[in-house]
Amino acid sequence: MTKRTLPYGRQQINQDDIAAVVSVLESDWLTQGPKVTEFEQSVAQSVGVTYAVAANSATSALHIACLALGVSTGSRVWVPAISFVASANCARYCGATVDFIDVDAQTGNLCVDALSEQLSQAQNKHCLPDVVIVVHLGGHSCQMPRLHELATTYGFRIIEDASHALGGSGWDQSIGNCYYSDITVFSFHPVKIATSAEGGMATTECEQLAHRMRLYANHGIEKNPKFFSQPSDGEWYYEQQCLGFNYRLSDLHAALGISQLGRLNWFVEQRNEWAIRYSQALACLPVTLVQPLKDTYSSWHLAMILCESAELKHRLFDVLRQHGIGAQVHYIPIHLQPYYQQLGFSPGYCPNAERFYQRVLSLPLYPGLTEDDFAYVMQQLQRGLDACA
Ligand SMILES: *Cc1c(COP(=O)(O)O)cnc(C)c1O
């Protein structure tokens, strides 16, 4: 087969998406118009939650989620060791201390047993976390009922970083409805499940949290007289009540997001179909596809394979890249990043995460993948395995 160029993930854009963006360009509002509210309502309806607050990225949304929960200097926030760095950085923006939770060696997802052990030790030392950020790695839901139980026992709040998991569910609850958590955050970056080019969304069932997140996303500015702390001076009056940011999404981005949400079910179905194909095709090879837990429906953001050894992973990565396949590694354990090592973490801190990292590799998975693309990926993967045998 001729060489092709395949990323590990990419957006799917159609004429409706293009028309939606163009119509905003032709309207009066490029930003702060009606589209952002409509996007928020579409996401809220899609995941079955009361409040959705848009932001210009999931990173921003994670930051305002932490702020709304009162994370500040002196707070303790725990994060799984395998995720994108933004999952931990949001707590650092607030001045909090970050600690890492080890993951399940087979799935890379937060290990509830490890968390439980870490919590009981922290209780003895009087340093329980204020917030635990959980990440549905690759779209595969964490064990939310057990996490919720631990949150109740130990009194911490939960933020779900569901950047990978829009359209997924677990234990009869759709991810984002916040049945098991305080706030859920989604990303609309082009490699994620649905895109607004850049964009993020925070969902919650708590009116007060939604209100605070809105405030932090818009300079800390309150415009509703009902919430003023001083008497209004006239119609123009507004109050800056806290130090917020400009994390607003534009109407252009929102219009793309709304249009994409119309195909969310199709996106996730396509991803599930390709995941089944990978499972079948990989069954007789010495690599395994990371699978979601039973009782969950994954949005399959990533097709992560686990190789038998670090050597095999390196070899496969090289062969795939040489042949135009954008294999990628999700993720380098966050505590091994120089920034976090400077904060006191060192190799060996989360052994399962480090082992997972050595063996994991993501293959192309996205709605627009074709039969030919898939056959090409499998052919090159076989070539890499043969070269190692
Ligand atoms: C992509 C991603 C983010 C950041 O999303 P942006 O919208 O690019 O800011 C955060 N957490 C995880 C797990 C991600 O994959």
mmCIF file of all heavy atoms in Angstrom, residues 11 15 48 74 98 142 144 173 188 235 272 278 288 338-339 369:
data_model
loop_
_atom_site.group_PDB
_atom_site.id
_atom_site.type_symbol
_atom_site.label_atom_id
_atom_site.label_comp_id
_atom_site.label_asym_id
_atom_site.label_seq_id
_atom_site.Cartn_x
_atom_site.Cartn_y
_atom_site.Cartn_z
ATOM 1 N N GLN A 11 -10.115 16.121 13.639
ATOM 2 C CA GLN A 11 -11.499 16.588 13.549
ATOM 3 C C GLN A 11 -12.179 16.057 12.294
ATOM 4 O O GLN A 11 -11.519 15.649 11.350
ATOM 5 C CB GLN A 11 -11.519 18.123 13.535
ATOM 6 C CG GLN A 11 -10.995 18.763 12.264
ATOM 7 C CD GLN A 11 -9.476 18.873 12.192
ATOM 8 O OE1 GLN A 11 -8.773 18.258 12.973
ATOM 9 N NE2 GLN A 11 -8.968 19.659 11.262
ATOM 10 N N GLN A 15 -19.921 20.479 5.601
ATOM 11 C CA GLN A 15 -20.419 21.753 5.056
ATOM 12 C C GLN A 15 -21.305 22.504 6.058
ATOM 13 O O GLN A 15 -21.294 23.727 6.105
ATOM 14 C CB GLN A 15 -21.183 21.511 3.741
ATOM 15 C CG GLN A 15 -20.279 21.181 2.563
ATOM 16 C CD GLN A 15 -19.195 22.238 2.330
ATOM 17 O OE1 GLN A 15 -19.445 23.434 2.361
ATOM 18 N NE2 GLN A 15 -17.954 21.798 2.122
ATOM 19 N N GLY A 48 -27.196 16.003 29.906
ATOM 20 C CA GLY A 48 -28.217 15.909 30.945
ATOM 21 C C GLY A 48 -27.800 16.560 32.248
ATOM 22 O O GLY A 48 -27.819 15.935 33.308
ATOM 23 N N GLY A 74 -2.322 26.735 49.824
ATOM 24 C CA GLY A 74 -2.624 25.942 51.019
ATOM 25 C C GLY A 74 -3.591 24.797 50.745
ATOM 26 O O GLY A 74 -3.707 23.873 51.550
ATOM 27 N N VAL A 98 0.063 20.091 44.657
ATOM 28 C CA VAL A 98 -0.435 18.956 43.874
ATOM 29 C C VAL A 98 0.220 17.671 44.369
ATOM 30 O O VAL A 98 1.419 17.653 44.664
ATOM 31 C CB VAL A 98 -0.114 19.174 42.373
ATOM 32 C CG1 VAL A 98 -0.345 17.892 41.578
ATOM 33 C CG2 VAL A 98 -0.969 20.299 41.793
ATOM 34 N N CYS A 142 -13.616 6.334 34.669
ATOM 35 C CA CYS A 142 -13.094 5.858 35.952
ATOM 36 C C CYS A 142 -14.253 5.223 36.716
ATOM 37 O O CYS A 142 -15.413 5.398 36.363
ATOM 38 C CB CYS A 142 -12.557 7.027 36.776
ATOM 39 S SG CYS A 142 -11.147 7.849 36.051
ATOM 40 N N MET A 144 -16.553 5.682 38.886
ATOM 41 C CA MET A 144 -17.147 6.844 39.552
ATOM 42 C C MET A 144 -17.932 6.524 40.825
ATOM 43 O O MET A 144 -17.833 7.270 41.802
ATOM 44 C CB MET A 144 -18.004 7.651 38.568
ATOM 45 C CG MET A 144 -17.205 8.358 37.475
ATOM 46 S SD MET A 144 -15.767 9.278 38.077
ATOM 47 C CE MET A 144 -16.540 10.548 39.080
ATOM 48 N N GLN A 173 -25.048 6.670 34.198
ATOM 49 C CA GLN A 173 -25.006 8.136 34.238
ATOM 50 C C GLN A 173 -24.131 8.635 33.085
ATOM 51 O O GLN A 173 -23.037 8.106 32.876
ATOM 52 C CB GLN A 173 -24.393 8.614 35.561
ATOM 53 C CG GLN A 173 -25.097 8.086 36.805
ATOM 54 C CD GLN A 173 -26.549 8.526 36.899
ATOM 55 O OE1 GLN A 173 -26.907 9.609 36.435
ATOM 56 N NE2 GLN A 173 -27.387 7.684 37.493
ATOM 57 N N PHE A 188 -12.868 20.927 23.660
ATOM 58 C CA PHE A 188 -13.315 20.929 22.267
ATOM 59 C C PHE A 188 -12.153 21.213 21.327
ATOM 60 O O PHE A 188 -12.327 21.778 20.254
ATOM 61 C CB PHE A 188 -14.481 21.912 22.089
ATOM 62 C CG PHE A 188 -15.727 21.445 22.789
ATOM 63 C CD1 PHE A 188 -15.966 21.770 24.116
ATOM 64 C CD2 PHE A 188 -16.633 20.616 22.140
ATOM 65 C CE1 PHE A 188 -17.094 21.303 24.782
ATOM 66 C CE2 PHE A 188 -17.762 20.141 22.790
ATOM 67 C CZ PHE A 188 -18.003 20.495 24.117
ATOM 68 N N GLU A 235 -27.322 52.464 35.125
ATOM 69 C CA GLU A 235 -27.495 51.314 34.232
ATOM 70 C C GLU A 235 -26.168 50.707 33.790
ATOM 71 O O GLU A 235 -26.077 49.538 33.461
ATOM 72 C CB GLU A 235 -28.285 51.748 32.980
ATOM 73 C CG GLU A 235 -29.752 52.033 33.236
ATOM 74 C CD GLU A 235 -30.636 50.826 32.935
ATOM 75 O OE1 GLU A 235 -30.096 49.781 32.516
ATOM 76 O OE2 GLU A 235 -31.854 50.934 33.135
ATOM 77 N N ASN A 272 -16.457 3.850 18.423
ATOM 78 C CA ASN A 272 -16.696 2.530 18.999
ATOM 79 C C ASN A 272 -16.532 1.429 17.950
ATOM 80 O O ASN A 272 -16.001 0.363 18.244
ATOM 81 C CB ASN A 272 -18.085 2.456 19.638
ATOM 82 C CG ASN A 272 -18.066 2.901 21.090
ATOM 83 O OD1 ASN A 272 -17.908 2.080 21.996
ATOM 84 N ND2 ASN A 272 -18.178 4.204 21.318
ATOM 85 N N TYR A 278 -10.201 -2.715 15.940
ATOM 86 C CA TYR A 278 -8.843 -2.841 16.496
ATOM 87 C C TYR A 278 -8.757 -4.044 17.442
ATOM 88 O O TYR A 278 -7.814 -4.819 17.394
ATOM 89 C CB TYR A 278 -8.445 -1.569 17.245
ATOM 90 C CG TYR A 278 -7.761 -0.516 16.387
ATOM 91 C CD1 TYR A 278 -8.240 0.787 16.339
ATOM 92 C CD2 TYR A 278 -6.610 -0.812 15.651
ATOM 93 C CE1 TYR A 278 -7.616 1.770 15.566
ATOM 94 C CE2 TYR A 278 -5.978 0.160 14.877
ATOM 95 C CZ TYR A 278 -6.481 1.444 14.836
ATOM 96 O OH TYR A 278 -5.856 2.401 14.081
ATOM 97 N N THR A 288 -1.934 -5.433 23.370
ATOM 98 C CA THR A 288 -3.352 -5.438 23.752
ATOM 99 C C THR A 288 -3.919 -4.029 23.727
ATOM 100 O O THR A 288 -3.239 -3.065 24.053
ATOM 101 C CB THR A 288 -3.561 -6.006 25.178
ATOM 102 O OG1 THR A 288 -2.641 -5.354 26.058
ATOM 103 C CG2 THR A 288 -3.356 -7.497 25.226
ATOM 104 N N PRO A 338 9.961 17.937 34.190
ATOM 105 C CA PRO A 338 10.934 18.723 34.962
ATOM 106 C C PRO A 338 10.273 19.696 35.942
ATOM 107 O O PRO A 338 10.730 19.833 37.079
ATOM 108 C CB PRO A 338 11.715 19.480 33.875
ATOM 109 C CG PRO A 338 11.597 18.608 32.667
ATOM 110 C CD PRO A 338 10.259 17.921 32.759
ATOM 111 N N TYR A 339 9.200 20.333 35.508
ATOM 112 C CA TYR A 339 8.532 21.297 36.400
ATOM 113 C C TYR A 339 8.087 20.624 37.703
ATOM 114 O O TYR A 339 8.261 21.173 38.794
ATOM 115 C CB TYR A 339 7.327 21.929 35.692
ATOM 116 C CG TYR A 339 6.492 22.790 36.618
ATOM 117 C CD1 TYR A 339 6.920 24.062 36.992
ATOM 118 C CD2 TYR A 339 5.298 22.310 37.147
ATOM 119 C CE1 TYR A 339 6.164 24.832 37.866
ATOM 120 C CE2 TYR A 339 4.539 23.078 38.016
ATOM 121 C CZ TYR A 339 4.974 24.340 38.367
ATOM 122 O OH TYR A 339 4.230 25.092 39.240
ATOM 123 N N LEU A 369 -11.636 7.898 9.740
ATOM 124 C CA LEU A 369 -10.716 6.823 9.350
ATOM 125 C C LEU A 369 -11.394 5.936 8.298
ATOM 126 O O LEU A 369 -12.593 5.668 8.410
ATOM 127 C CB LEU A 369 -10.381 5.996 10.601
ATOM 128 C CG LEU A 369 -9.084 5.197 10.629
ATOM 129 C CD1 LEU A 369 -7.880 6.128 10.690
ATOM 130 C CD2 LEU A 369 -9.063 4.261 11.841
#
